[in-house]
Structure formats: structure tokens, C-alpha cells
Amino acid sequence: MNPVLEPLFRTVRATHPKADLRLIEHAYDVAAYHHRDQKRKSGDPYITHPLAVATILAELGTDDETLCAALLHDTVEDTAYGLDELRGDFGDTISSLVDGVTKLDKVKFGDAAQAETVRKMVVAMSRDIRVLIIKLADRLHNMRTMRYLPEHKRHQKSRETLEIFAPLAHRLGMNTIKWELEDLAFAMLYPKRYDEIARMVSERAPRRDLFLQEVIEKVSGDLRDAKIRALVKGRPKHYYSVYQKMIARDVAFDDIYDLVGIRVLVDSVRDCYAALGTIHARWNPVPGRFKDYIAMPKFNMYQSLHTTVIGPEGKPVELQIRTHAMHHRAEYGVAAHWKYKEEVGAPGPAGKVKPGSDMAWLRQLLDWQKETSDPGEFLESLRFDLSVSEVYVFTPRGQVVALPEGATPVDFAYAVHTEVGHRCIGARVNGRLVPLESRLGNGDTVEIFTSKSPDAGPSRDWLKFVKSGRARNKIRQWFSKERRETAIEAGKEAIGRAMRKQGLPLQRLMSGESLLALARDLRYPDVSALYAAVGEGHVAAQTVVQKLVASIGGVDSAEEDIAETSLPTRLRGRPRGGGAGVVVAGDSDVWVRLSKCCTPVPGDEIVGFVTRGHGVSVHRADCTNITQLKSQPDRLVEVSWSPGDDSVFLVAIQVEALDRPRLLSDVTRTLSDQHVNILSASVTTSRDRVAVSKFTFEMGDPKHLGHVLKAVRNIQGVFDVYRVSGAST
């Protein structure tokens, strides 16, 4: 036997004793031969990657066919070994698994290659779920070794992991893989946020561990006295899930951290409920926090009892109670099926999805890809569907329908049938008539009224409130492409109207280049698509204007453009060059003002611009407006620093932090302690709970700025602070 395979075989023997080791060794030999001259970006032999993927799958307990496909998964894509040859050597099953995982040719599909590859994988995994399991293990090992790739590639792969692969792992109940994928991608995409959460977690670890130990001892003692055999242990906290809780539950870090997690593993379902009673006898449960996922399993076969109790010191403690088999399935999801084949609800033989099983979601995905011709739209729908949790509602006959959280009766109508959706004119929820945009809750019974008219069809307004990808796609398909022109015109008009309302420079902001860059940022292929999106109500015109203004340096910058092209006005009490600490070459008696769009300070490379009636405006050489100014070279003048004792400079800084109560007061207090005079402050908090604060203050000595930034960086939750310049806005 090849000694390289010994660690893999040791795992296989433990998790899948009946596996055909000779077949696995043959697959390794073929893969090693064909990858023999290839290296990974790290410099390691390429075969280390397929071997690592197979080892991850062996730990999940997958079968030998899956392990062979994992070892061979890159041969067809990256070597001369063809699919027909592989089919001849290993048979139809392994070759179809490898084909399902193989990426499509970028040359043939161009920009749509990624979306089409995901679509192809969806089709393959609906036939055999093992395709996705191999793909997830492949992505996990790639994420572990991502540091060797260039930065733009790392970001692209990490975003794809967070938006598509981690949620797919969650859908299949493979939580071990999901958590690791999330943490790796989070660290790669937002290293500063990740480090700040890791720092806050480690600072509280000793105190938390003592508390955890006390709870575990008390729970174990009570269960022993009740003659219930149980394993009680702490639940690891994953940094991304801590961050997500801060966003989703809108709570501060300290409040999350008090939710200490305990897991209780018992032998039988009866013991689960007995253990729950024992725990509730000691500590009072928190109302509304009990969930019975044993009687009503989640969509991904997850089963467990969840309860939160008021534990020692009055702190809430979260407990999960489940059997060992449920725990294995909660960790490994669909992949656990090979270990617990006899359990009801697991997929059928060879990983195929049984009709009527919990993997009905895969069949829905298959329908989508048939209905949606545009690969980009399919990928967008998939991303959306993966990112939301679910509610379960009932038809009048008692059938359960799973819908995205926040779904409406229109989503329900389209989930029942496309025609029901198109003809929907009203709805009754729990016996009462409700508006079509009402949100549905868990356990609601929904009845739909349909129109008999042959001309019945959906309303464009429905797109504003429907939540499911299926409903959105069906409504969009209904509206013909001729309406696109109207939408483009309406969008263009709405953006222009929003700009005129704010008195912004229309010509400058509506330049093709700025709009095209913004359209791409918002994931639209061109400017027309952006106008159409505004016209159809997908994006607010105000949002587009705000983003355009931000892209050229903020409102100050846009207003300054107006000032610099306005008619001359009389100057009164303007500071001469010395007060601003800047002199104009050849003439010391010229009014000078430091530009607000980039707030230059001594040490910065600067350029002077002669304004009409406002003296000389001084900009940093890397200011975002400099390109615009250079288009009028006759108005540019040479300027140099000449700060005096009375010179005062404006400095703008940006503080990025994980949002929490009293954050703003902590930052302003720290700035005051550093003896700076704050002139303006603005705070915005994004949906992902990141507070971005901008402060403008006066400062006599720019060298003092380093101490100020360091002091602000030490505030809890702050993960980045830097001076704002024209280049970084």
C-alpha cells in the first residue's frame, strides 16, 4: 500500500469500514499520474489538493465512490485525462460525479462561465447530492490554502463562499463545513472586523469559561440524579455567527456573549424530553425561546430541542438537547446518511434524493434553472434564496409550504402554481382577508382567490414586496421586453429629478464613466440596466444619487464644483495665504483656501486652482477632483506650504467600528481627550452593523494626527481608523 494513503485509509476504516480500499488506491494512482507535473500556487505537488479533499470527505463518512470522485475531481478539468477515459476506468457513477464538479470552459462561456458552472452543478446535484458534497469539500480545502492567491481572486472566491457555498452547506445540514467556510471567508473579506471580534472574544474567554464550567457541572449532576445518561459540553462560538447575531438580532456584543451555549447529547428521543424537564426544573426558561425541532425538523433534516434559561448570576444560557444520531446529522447533514442509513428521512440509495424527502428544495432549484434563461439572473435568485431563513405555512388542505422569511400571499400563490400566482387577486390568512403585501408567519393557513378573467396577470408593484426567487422570476417573465424602454426612460428621469432637487451638478454626475462604474458596483451589466432597475423600482433613484455623490468625494466636493464654476463675487474677510499656511508661487498676497473635499495638511503634495472670485483653492495632488481640474491647465498654479504659529488645518478622519451602544460618545470623548476641536461629525450604520463615523476637526500640528488615530483605534469595537483623503472617499 502507498504510505501517503495511510492517514486517509485510517479515517476511512473508522467511518466507512466496508469501503473498497483497492478502488480508492487505484483512483489515487490515476490522479497522481495525471497531475504529476503540476504544482499548486503554494509550490506543493498538485495531488495534495485532491488527497486533502478526499480526507475531508472521509471524515464525514462518505462512501468509496465519493472518495474516488474526490481524488479524480480535477483530472478532467486540468489534465489530458478525458471524461470518456475516466468512464471506461471507473464506470458511470464516478464519471458523472466528476463531470458534475467540473467547471465549464471560460473561453466558451465568457463572463457567464461562473453562473453557468453553478447552474450545471445544481442540475448534477439534483440527480446525485454527492456532487455538491464533493464541491463543498473542494471549496473548504481551497479556502484553507487561499493565502497563496492574488488579493482580487481571494475576495471573489470568499464572497462566492459566503453567498453560495456556505448557505448550500447549511441547506444540506452540513454545519461543520458551513461554520469553517464562513469563518475563513469572513477573515479573508473583512480581516479587520474579524480580528476585532476575535480580540473581544478572547478578552472575555477566561470569565466565560468559568461560568460555562459551573453550568455544565450543574446540568450533568441533575441529569445523573434523574438517571439520564448524557454527555454535556460547551458549544464553540464561531466568529462569523457572532457577527451575524449582532446584525440579525440587533444586539450588542456583550449581550450575545452572555448567551453561553451548552449541548446535551442523550441516547433516545424520550431522554431528550426528560432532560428538558430536568433542566427547566432547575432554571426558569425564557418565554418564547423554546423550539422543538425534533417534532418539527428543519428543512435540512436538523433535529434538536432548543431552550434558553436564566442560569447562574441571572445570565441567559442557551441549551441544545439531541440524540447522538441527531448530533451527527446536525454536524454532517446529508453526508451523515451513509452512517445512519436506517433512519427515516435520509436520502435514498447512492445519495439520490427521494421524492417527498426534505430535499424538495433541490427540485425547486431544478425548476428554476429550466425557467430562467439568463445565467446571471439564475445566480442572483440562488444567492437570494440561500440568504434568507424560512417560514412554514399551510394550504387549506393542511399541506406544508416552505417560503422565505417575510414572504407574502403572492409568494405562496406562486409556490402553489405559476397560474395561481398570475391570477391571484386576494388572500385569506387564518380565515381573515388580508392585503397581498402582508407578511406571513409560521403556522399561518393561507387561501388564495384567483381571477377568472382571461386577461388576468400579475402587477408590476408585486416586485416591490415578493420575497421568493420563484415569484420574482415568474413576474419578470410575464412582462415583455418592450416595457424595458419605458423603464429606462422613467429611471433616467427619476435620477435627474433627484439630482435637481438637491441642486447637484447634473452634467458632471451623469457622465457615462461614473454611471457605468456605479452600475457595475450594483451588479448591473450596463447603464441602461441601471436606469431600467430604477424605472422598475428595484433601486431607488435617491440611492443612485447618493452613491454617485460619494464616488466623487461627497456632497462638499459636488458643491465645490458648483462654487468653482460660478460667477465672481465680492470677497470679504477672506484669509490671505499665510492664515491657511500656504503661499502661491510668485504672489504672497492671494486669498487661499484649503479645499474641503480632501482637507490637505502640511506634508501632503498640493496643487492650487484659481477659482472665479474665490481666490486659490488648494487640493491634494491625489484628490478625486484633480482630473476634473487638470482639464483647465491655465487655472492651475504652483503652491507650497508655509505654516505659521497661527495656522490651523482641517483634518477629516473616518472611523469604522462594529456598532454598539455609546460608541459615538466613546469616540468623541477620546478625540476631546486628545485636545482636538471637532467641527462636524456624521455617523451611518449599515445593515451589516458596521458604524462608519466621519469627523472633521481643527489641528495646529499635523504630526499630532498619528497619536489621535492610535487612541481611537484602541476603543472597543473600532477595527479601522484613517485619515480621509480625496483618494479614499
Side-chain angles (χ1 to χ4, degrees):
M1 184 199 293
N2 190 329
V4 174
L5 292 172
E6 187 44 48
L8 172 65
F9 283 176
R10 209 170 30 246
T11 310
V12 173
R13 285 190 201 101
T15 58
H16 196 70
K18 292 177 186 170
D20 184 347
L21 298 183
R22 270 187 308 227
L23 182 66
I24 297 170
E25 187 168 10
H26 178 43
Y28 173 81
D29 291 340
V30 170
Y33 174 76
H34 287 286
H35 288 301
R36 65 192 179 283
D37 298 326
Q38 295 175 331
K39 299 270 188 208
R40 301 199 82 212
K41 287 274 192 294
S42 59
D44 294 334
Y46 195 89
I47 190 64
T48 56
H49 169 63
L51 187 58
V53 173
T55 307
I56 291 168
L57 291 168
E59 287 161 2
L60 297 178
T62 52
D63 61 358
D64 38 23
E65 287 175 337
T66 311
L67 296 176
C68 289
L71 288 165
L72 296 161
H73 79 272
D74 274 336
T75 51
V76 174
E77 191 179 323
D78 296 336
T79 74
Y81 190 56
L83 198 60
D84 292 336
E85 204 179 337
L86 190 146
R87 189 177 288 109
D89 290 346
F90 293 94
D92 288 342
T93 306
I94 292 173
S95 68
S96 68
L97 288 174
V98 171
D99 184 38
V101 182
T102 302
K103 287 202 282 288
L104 293 174
D105 184 3
K106 275 211 172 87
V107 178
K108 191 174 164 193
F109 284 91
D111 292 342
Q114 184 221 5
E116 284 291 7
T117 299
V118 174
R119 184 203 287 266
K120 176 188 172 194
M121 185 182 75
V122 165
V123 177
M125 77 194 197
S126 64
R127 294 196 202 108
D128 194 331
I129 198 67
R130 292 174 295 179
V131 167
L132 182 55
I133 294 171
I134 296 167
K135 189 69 188 169
L136 289 171
D138 172 50
R139 178 52 63 105
L140 178 57
H141 184 250
N142 280 334
M143 288 301 296
R144 286 174 181 172
T145 54
M146 190 69 76
R147 61 187 177 280
Y148 299 104
L149 290 181
E151 189 179 6
H152 74 279
K153 204 88 172 139
R154 291 203 304 265
H155 279 205
Q156 181 203 332
K157 295 283 183 196
S158 300
R159 194 163 295 288
E160 196 180 77
T161 299
L162 272 186
E163 290 177 354
I164 294 174
F165 290 100
L168 278 171
H170 176 58
R171 287 269 162 175
L172 301 187
M174 299 169 72
N175 286 321
T176 331
I177 285 185
K178 173 206 162 201
W179 286 323
E180 193 178 345
L181 283 174
E182 284 178 342
D183 277 356
L184 288 166
F186 181 39
M188 203 70 72
L189 276 175
Y190 306 109
K192 290 175 179 172
R193 298 182 199 182
Y194 179 88
D195 292 343
E196 185 59 28
I197 286 178
R199 185 171 73 92
M200 294 194 294
V201 168
S202 63
E203 277 174 4
R204 289 158 181 73
R207 184 160 44 92
R208 174 183 171 271
D209 290 347
L210 285 172
F211 178 75
L212 202 61
Q213 206 45 50
E214 183 189 347
V215 175
I216 288 172
E217 281 169 14
K218 286 183 175 168
V219 171
S220 300
D222 287 353
L223 294 175
R224 234 188 345 265
D225 295 344
K227 307 267 188 302
I228 300 168
R229 267 192 5 186
L231 175 64
V232 183
K233 53 186 181 179
R235 207 154 40 82
K237 280 283 183 215
H238 301 277
Y239 296 152
Y240 186 70
S241 67
V242 168
Y243 179 55
Q244 285 299 97
K245 278 183 182 172
M246 289 171 75
I247 300 165
R249 291 196 195 162
D250 199 25
V251 288
F253 177 80
D254 285 328
D255 298 336
I256 288 170
Y257 223 69
D258 282 344
L259 277 170
V260 172
I262 300 284
R263 192 168 282 145
V264 180
L265 303 181
V266 294
D267 294 335
S268 67
V269 172
R270 185 188 293 269
D271 287 347
C272 289
Y273 291 100
L276 178 74
T278 308
I279 290 161
H280 282 183
R282 173 181 278 277
W283 291 306
N284 288 334
V286 176
R289 296 282 296 156
F290 171 66
K291 300 268 188 332
D292 187 344
Y293 294 120
I294 293 179
M296 289 275 285
K298 281 192 183 182
F299 59 84
N300 57 11
M301 306 187 293
Y302 175 88
Q303 287 185 290
S304 192
L305 295 177
H306 287 199
T307 185
T308 302
V309 297
I310 302 298
E313 304 167 34
K315 289 183 180 175
V317 181
E318 204 175 61
L319 294 109
Q320 296 176 346
I321 306 162
R322 57 178 79 142
T323 65
H324 292 278
M326 286 172 194
H327 177 61
H328 192 83
R329 201 163 56 227
E331 295 291 293
Y332 304 124
V334 176
H337 132 78
W338 285 278
K339 193 157 186 177
Y340 291 98
K341 274 184 179 166
E342 72 285 354
E343 292 209 9
V344 181
K352 299 283 196 301
V353 178
K354 274 187 193 170
S357 78
D358 288 316
M359 292 293 123
W361 173 76
L362 286 177
R363 286 196 303 282
Q364 178 192 323
L365 229 56
L366 203 57
D367 292 344
W368 273 6
Q369 73 82 29
K370 285 175 193 160
E371 293 161 2
T372 315
S373 56
D374 175 18
E377 196 178 309
F378 170 71
L379 197 58
E380 207 50 52
S381 299
L382 176 64
R383 275 197 183 101
F384 179 81
D385 192 63
L386 290 171
S387 66
V388 290
S389 5
E390 292 195 316
V391 292
Y392 297 92
V393 296
F394 295 97
T395 66
R397 291 183 180 175
Q399 287 175 307
V400 180
V401 176
L403 295 168
E405 199 168 23
T408 63
V410 175
D411 292 289
F412 174 84
Y414 278 104
V416 172
H417 195 277
T418 305
E419 277 306 305
V420 175
H422 285 340
R423 295 177 172 279
C424 169
I425 51 168
R428 191 183 274 151
V429 175
N430 301 330
R432 291 172 55 201
L433 288 169
V434 297
L436 287 179
E437 63 267 29
S438 311
R439 286 171 65 120
L440 299 176
N442 268 323
D444 284 349
T445 300
V446 188
E447 189 181 346
I448 298 294
F449 303 116
T450 54
S451 166
K452 298 278 190 294
S453 163
D455 301 325
S459 158
R460 195 176 280 279
D461 290 340
W462 291 358
L463 286 167
K464 293 175 186 171
F465 58 75
V466 291
K467 283 285 183 281
S468 64
R470 179 181 172 82
R472 196 173 296 276
N473 285 342
K474 292 293 186 185
I475 296 165
R476 279 184 186 149
Q477 281 171 15
W478 173 271
F479 292 103
S480 62
K481 284 184 181 169
E482 290 118 56
R483 307 223 177 174
R484 184 176 162 83
E485 295 303 317
T486 320
I488 289 172
E489 282 309 308
K492 196 182 278 189
E493 205 177 301
I495 293 171
R497 207 165 39 240
M499 283 186 190
R500 282 193 292 275
K501 212 173 184 178
Q502 291 184 41
L504 295 170
L506 204 66
Q507 214 170 351
R508 161 110 192 268
L509 286 172
M510 294 282 275
S511 76
E513 213 172 291
S514 327
L515 273 171
L516 185 60
L518 178 61
R520 288 196 174 139
D521 280 353
L522 295 173
R523 296 204 180 120
Y524 292 108
D526 52 33
V527 176
S528 299
L530 176 63
Y531 285 148
V534 174
E536 289 174 347
H538 301 318
V539 182
Q542 189 55 42
T543 308
V544 173
V545 173
Q546 280 168 356
K547 286 184 184 292
L548 277 173
V549 169
S551 73
I552 62 139
V555 176
D556 283 348
S557 163
E559 285 170 351
E560 188 163 74
D561 285 353
I562 297 170
E564 289 181 358
T565 53
S566 62
L567 292 169
T569 53
R570 289 180 61 201
L571 297 172
R572 283 190 194 145
R574 295 275 177 172
R576 304 277 175 184
V582 175
V583 289
V584 178
D587 192 349
S588 58
D589 194 32
V590 174
W591 280 288
V592 172
R593 65 189 178 94
L594 299 177
S595 150
K596 284 183 187 171
C597 61
C598 55
T599 57
V601 298
D604 293 340
E605 201 181 323
I606 50 175
V607 176
F609 182 79
V610 180
T611 64
R612 294 188 182 129
H614 290 259
V616 172
S617 149
V618 177
H619 293 258
R620 289 173 55 134
D622 60 355
C623 175
T624 44
N625 293 322
I626 212 74
T627 320
Q628 188 83 1
L629 305 182
K630 279 182 178 170
S631 64
Q632 302 172 64
D634 52 319
R635 292 171 68 183
L636 291 176
V637 292
E638 201 179 313
V639 287
S640 58
W641 289 110
S642 174
D645 293 340
D646 61 338
S647 297
V648 174
F649 305 99
L650 280 185
V651 177
I653 66 166
Q654 181 153 311
V655 180
E656 294 175 9
L658 301 171
D659 192 31
R660 62 175 175 82
R662 296 182 302 283
L663 175 68
L664 184 60
S665 71
D666 285 354
V667 177
T668 47
R669 191 177 65 245
T670 303
L671 289 173
S672 301
D673 292 347
Q674 293 294 315
H675 309 293
V676 298
N677 180 27
I678 301 171
L679 297 178
S680 70
S682 70
V683 184
T684 53
T685 304
S686 59
R687 275 186 309 184
D688 55 357
R689 284 302 296 272
V690 170
V692 177
S693 321
K694 287 184 181 170
F695 295 91
T696 307
F697 48 81
E698 289 178 335
M699 183 175 273
D701 180 6
K703 290 175 192 161
H704 183 43
L705 183 61
H707 299 292
V708 174
L709 296 179
K710 191 175 177 187
V712 174
R713 175 66 187 86
N714 287 331
I715 297 169
Q716 182 189 305
V718 173
F719 59 81
D720 205 4
V721 54
Y722 49 88
R723 182 178 159 212
V724 178
S725 69
S728 60
T729 43

